[in-house]
């Protein structure tokens, strides 16, 4: 097998080690995102980082700030490597919004 073939196989394998639900609407100005990452790629800790970054980036693209409403582990919580997913429910608010200040 050539090096190029091996490199392609490795890249495809690593790319399939993570998945995102994408930003989904969950009510008025409320959204949710879930990230799952294989243990070999960082598991739950990396999933948490990715989910929070995706939520924050989504709000920043609208000129707003992310206000988390619910943060929780997702996926198989009985996995011997720990949970491999993380879910964030959030709102995108202006920094001057009274709800953001509480």
């Amino acid at each position: 097998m050539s090096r190029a073939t091996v490199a392609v196989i490795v890249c495809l394998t690593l790319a399939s080690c993570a998945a995102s639900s994408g930003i989904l609407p969950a009510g008025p100005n409320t959204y949710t995102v879930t990230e799952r990452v294989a243990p070999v790629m960082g598991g739950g800790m990396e999933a948490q980082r990715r989910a929070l970054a995706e939520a924050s980036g989504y709000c920043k693209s609208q000129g707003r700030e992310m206000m988390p409403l619910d943060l929780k582990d997702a996926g198989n919580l009985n996995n011997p490597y720990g949970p491999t997913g993380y879910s964030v429910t959030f709102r995108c608010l202006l920094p001057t919004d009274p709800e953001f200040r509480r």
Side-chain angles (χ1 to χ4, degrees):
M1 209 179 299
S2 73
R3 284 186 171 194
T5 303
V6 171
V8 168
I9 291 171
V10 169
C11 287
L12 290 174
T13 302
L14 291 177
S16 66
C17 292
S20 174
S21 67
I23 304 293
L24 301 171
N29 191 34
T30 304
Y31 308 92
T32 187
V33 61
T34 300
E35 291 279 345
R36 287 189 171 74
V37 179
V40 69
M41 299 296 293
M45 293 298 289
E46 179 62 13
Q48 178 183 22
R49 188 196 67 73
R50 289 181 186 197
L52 289 169
E54 189 169 353
S56 181
Y58 180 77
C59 292
K60 286 197 184 298
S61 74
Q62 299 176 14
R64 298 174 182 259
E65 296 291 325
M66 189 264 292
M67 184 181 84
L69 300 174
D70 188 35
L71 307 169
K72 62 184 175 186
D73 292 326
N76 181 1
L77 301 181
N78 295 320
N79 186 329
Y81 301 104
T84 58
Y86 201 78
S87 181
V88 177
T89 302
F90 63 98
R91 288 193 171 156
C92 294
L93 302 175
L94 291 170
T96 56
D97 191 309
E99 191 174 347
F100 189 69
R101 298 272 179 207
R102 55 180 177 138

